[in-house]
Amino acid sequence: MAKYKTEFKNKVVKEYLEGNIGYKGLAKKYSILDHSTVRRWVNIYESQGYDGLKVSRKNSSYSLDLKLNVVDLYLTGEMSYQSLANEFKINNPSMISRWVKEFREKGIEGLKPKKRGRPSNMPNTDKNKDQKNKTNKTKKESSELEKLRKENYYLQMEVEILKKKIQFSQMTESEIDEYLRSLNH
């Protein structure tokens, strides 16, 4: 990926904002490989100003709470990747799509910081023992896991029922009747 100087990005964005030429035209004029790069620069400029166009030399790290909040807003359908990036001053909307993918695959664990760097070549006997124990999962552990999953499911259902009960307790009888009629149709 080519790195562009901040002044160059600013020049391209200003030219787009003047309204004489579109994303594709600017990409072609300045030999930028993809017009979506120009679009991203314009979005960043509109949400963060000139500072958003500056090339960052450090990797930003985001807290688990922020990641969860952003993923939740996306999954509830409230905001798009781009609008979330603008709102939370995240320069790259594709980072949010990666967070959503990891959350869908691994849950909260997927959003936690990962170990970086090269793994050690030194043998660790404790790790080898752990791997052997994991592969020898007993039937007892499997049945216990299944039991806990069922219990979790029933507890979630109980919470949903209690939420509905609270909702109904705050409604008048006519509102409840109207709600029940809407379910029958």
Side-chain angles (χ1 to χ4, degrees):
M1 183 174 143
K3 296 284 184 183
Y4 299 97
K5 294 188 185 289
T6 308
E7 295 304 322
F8 174 73
K9 291 179 192 178
N10 191 45
K11 176 183 175 184
V12 173
V13 168
K14 293 287 186 189
E15 194 169 334
Y16 172 81
L17 292 176
E18 288 173 2
N20 299 330
I21 189 167
Y23 299 130
K24 288 182 180 178
L26 284 167
K28 194 172 193 175
K29 178 177 177 181
Y30 292 107
S31 302
I32 299 169
L33 293 177
D34 190 8
H35 70 278
S36 64
T37 303
V38 178
R39 183 176 55 221
R40 190 172 64 246
W41 292 347
V42 171
N43 282 326
I44 289 169
Y45 181 83
E46 288 177 336
S47 66
Q48 299 175 33
Y50 180 79
D51 289 337
L53 295 176
K54 289 183 180 175
V55 177
S56 176
R57 295 282 181 224
K58 65 179 184 73
N59 289 334
S60 299
S61 63
Y62 299 97
S63 71
L64 180 62
D65 288 339
L66 176 84
K67 290 178 185 179
L68 280 170
N69 189 20
V70 170
V71 167
D72 183 51
L73 285 171
Y74 177 77
L75 291 176
T76 56
E78 292 182 29
M79 300 174 84
S80 68
Y81 292 137
Q82 186 63 56
S83 59
L84 284 166
N86 293 345
E87 180 75 24
F88 290 95
K89 300 200 182 326
I90 298 169
N91 281 347
N92 194 352
S94 64
M95 184 180 299
I96 298 170
S97 69
R98 190 175 67 237
W99 293 346
V100 170
K101 181 180 180 233
E102 289 172 350
F103 181 77
R104 285 181 172 153
E105 291 173 358
K106 300 174 188 168
I108 293 175
E109 290 299 315
L111 298 179
K112 289 184 178 175
K114 286 122 185 108
K115 282 188 175 182
R116 296 180 64 137
R118 192 170 172 172
S120 172
N121 287 333
M122 296 294 292
N124 188 339
T125 55
D126 292 341
K127 284 184 182 178
N128 295 338
K129 287 178 186 176
D130 286 345
Q131 286 179 344
K132 286 179 183 175
N133 288 340
K134 285 181 183 176
T135 57
N136 293 333
K137 224 180 205 183
T138 64
K139 290 181 182 180
K140 182 180 175 185
E141 289 173 327
S142 296
S143 66
E144 178 71 16
L145 181 61
E146 188 59 34
K147 178 184 161 204
L148 289 172
R149 284 184 176 151
K150 276 185 179 178
E151 185 179 346
N152 187 32
Y153 172 78
Y154 285 109
L155 288 171
Q156 287 175 339
M157 296 307 291
E158 188 176 344
V159 167
E160 290 301 316
I161 290 169
L162 290 172
K163 284 181 183 176
K164 281 291 183 192
K165 186 175 182 182
I166 291 170
Q167 180 185 355
F168 282 130
S169 70
Q170 295 172 349
M171 295 171 78
T172 64
E173 281 187 45
S174 61
E175 289 174 327
I176 293 171
D177 289 341
E178 186 177 319
Y179 175 77
L180 292 174
R181 269 184 283 188
S182 71
L183 292 178
N184 292 335
H185 294 327

